[in-house]
Amino acid sequence: MAKLFFKYGTVFSAKSLNLIATAHNYETQGKKVLLMIPFMDTRSNGNISTRAGFELKAEMIDTDTNVVDVFIEHLNKKEKIDCVLVDEAQMLSSKHIDQLRDIVVRFNTPVICYGLRVSYTLELFEASKRLFELSDKLEEIKTICWYCASKATHNLKLVEGKPEYKGNPIDIGGLEKYLPVCYNCYVNPPIEKELKGV
Ligand SMILES: [Zn+2]
């Protein structure tokens, strides 16, 4: 039976790179993947890109998109889909996650979602919460804290070099900066290092 996966991590944990490696593995075996990304991720424009410089075409998922319909549209075009990959899954709604779960069950097709676990305000994203509830398999994509040697578990938001802990959990503006940090460094970030650009 196919499974629903949630591979989660902090910012800079190479989630998109992991997604692209998975897509590459499928493609080299002659298998087809369907890529999906939330429309509100303004960095994308229909492509999944990574800091390593790879790009892949993707279906854009808007608030009122039914992802089951998107999947069926591809099947109707006689496309074979061996796997669905979802980038930035935390930006979807819980309804979208229910639909992805439905794809796995109805079509016996694996769906692998990549995304953040918690926001910089220390809240589970709605979609991430639903993924924790519905996934068959959870996997943490690990990276280390920006400031120390601990594992990063949280995302620190810096605006003009100062930590910000309150606001809209989904904030994709441009000027702020997010760093992967451990909880201790989240609460008490050694900002000096950041300001000096070390
Ligand atoms: Zn730390």
Side-chain angles (χ1 to χ4, degrees), residues 90 92-95 97 124-131:
Q90 79 280 354
L92 296 173
S93 66
S94 60
K95 182 190 68 187
I97 306 305
L124 277 173
F125 289 98
E126 177 193 319
S128 305
K129 176 175 179 289
R130 197 67 183 139
L131 278 163

Side-chain angles (χ1 to χ4, degrees), residues 144-152 180-186 190:
I144 55 164
C145 173
W146 186 265
Y147 298 112
C148 74
S150 300
K151 187 182 79 174
V181 289
C182 68
Y183 189 76
N184 279 339
C185 293
Y186 173 88

Side-chain angles (χ1 to χ4, degrees), residues 39-169:
F39 186 66
M40 63 190 302
D41 180 13
T42 52
R43 289 175 299 168
S44 37
N45 298 322
N47 297 306
I48 289 180
S49 54
T50 71
R51 293 179 179 88
F54 299 99
E55 273 204 1
L56 290 167
K57 287 274 174 227
E59 283 283 354
M60 305 296 281
I61 306 305
D62 214 339
T63 318
D64 50 8
T65 306
N66 183 324
V67 294
V68 179
D69 292 344
V70 173
F71 184 86
I72 290 172
E73 269 172 42
H74 282 265
L75 293 186
N76 288 344
K77 286 188 261 175
K78 305 281 181 230
E79 285 177 32
K80 181 171 155 287
I81 301 171
D82 294 291
C83 183
V84 176
L85 300 176
V86 186
D87 202 15
E88 305 288 354
Q90 79 280 354
M91 290 185 184
L92 296 173
S93 66
S94 60
K95 182 190 68 187
H96 289 132
I97 306 305
D98 289 353
Q99 292 162 359
L100 290 167
R101 176 75 261 189
D102 198 29
I103 289 174
V104 177
V105 174
R106 279 172 64 190
F107 302 96
N108 196 28
T109 301
V111 173
I112 310 177
C113 297
Y114 296 82
L116 300 174
R117 183 177 62 95
V118 284
S119 68
Y120 71 94
T121 56
L122 298 185
E123 291 157 280
L124 277 173
F125 289 98
E126 177 193 319
S128 305
K129 176 175 179 289
R130 197 67 183 139
L131 278 163
F132 270 95
E133 290 163 349
L134 297 185
S135 292
D136 297 297
K137 230 170 150 60
L138 295 162
E139 186 184 312
E140 184 178 24
I141 300 176
K142 293 173 186 156
T143 192
I144 55 164
C145 173
W146 186 265
Y147 298 112
C148 74
S150 300
K151 187 182 79 174
T153 49
H154 292 81
N155 303 299
L156 179 66
K157 180 179 178 182
L158 295 177
V159 180
E160 291 174 1
K162 293 195 176 64
E164 197 159 287
Y165 297 109
K166 289 197 163 54
N168 182 354

